[in-house]
Each structure stands twice: as structure tokens, then as C-alpha cells.
Amino acid sequence: VVTGVQTCALPILDGAVDVTDAVLLNKKAANVVTFNAQQMLNGDCYDQNGEIDGNDATALLKFLVHILKGLPENSSMNA
């Protein structure tokens, strides 16, 4: 569990970033759940393009396993 991190990693809005946030992002990417406006802002962890997709969940997982040092991730980080 990571606390005190940017809000872009907190779609659950509980103040802690963990794998349940990534699971929720995957559900949103699959259109299984609906996000409110704050969750949309917080969940946009990749390229901050206003959409939630698999890239956002992957970015969050990379952050949780310390591949990324911070969020949001963007495509230029992978160039």
C-alpha cells in the first residue's frame, strides 16, 4: 500500500494506492463499472488523455511494483 502519492492513482478515493485501484481501473477499461468525475481524473494514469483504458491500469501496476517512480506515465517515457 502506498500513501501520500499523486491523486492520479486513487480511483477508489480512499487515500491509499494498492492493487484494488488497478483492478478497478481494469473494470472501468472493460466498461463494467462507471466512474464519477473525480475517479476519471484520478484514474487517468497514462498520458492523461481523459480516457481510462488498459494503459492506465498498466501504468498503475508498474508504479506499484516500482518500475515507475511516479505517475502519471506518458508515452514519451517509453520512447
Side-chain angles (χ1 to χ4, degrees):
V1 175
V2 179
T3 58
V5 69
Q6 306 95 314
T7 58
C8 71
L10 298 170
I12 292 185
L13 306 175
D14 64 357
V17 179
D18 57 31
V19 72
T20 56
D21 292 289
V23 169
L24 187 61
L25 284 179
N26 277 317
K27 288 182 178 184
K28 172 60 180 147
N31 291 317
V32 174
V33 297
T34 303
F35 276 12
N36 65 33
Q38 188 63 56
Q39 288 172 306
M40 287 296 293
L41 288 172
N42 292 5
D44 197 4
C45 296
Y46 184 85
D47 273 346
Q48 293 191 308
N49 60 3
E51 299 177 7
I52 303 294
D53 59 25
N55 289 327
D56 298 297
T58 300
L60 180 53
L61 288 169
K62 287 179 181 179
F63 175 75
L64 288 171
V65 298
H66 306 287
I67 293 171
L68 295 176
K69 293 181 181 181
L71 291 169
E73 180 181 16
N74 61 58
S75 55
S76 66
M77 296 169 94
N78 300 320

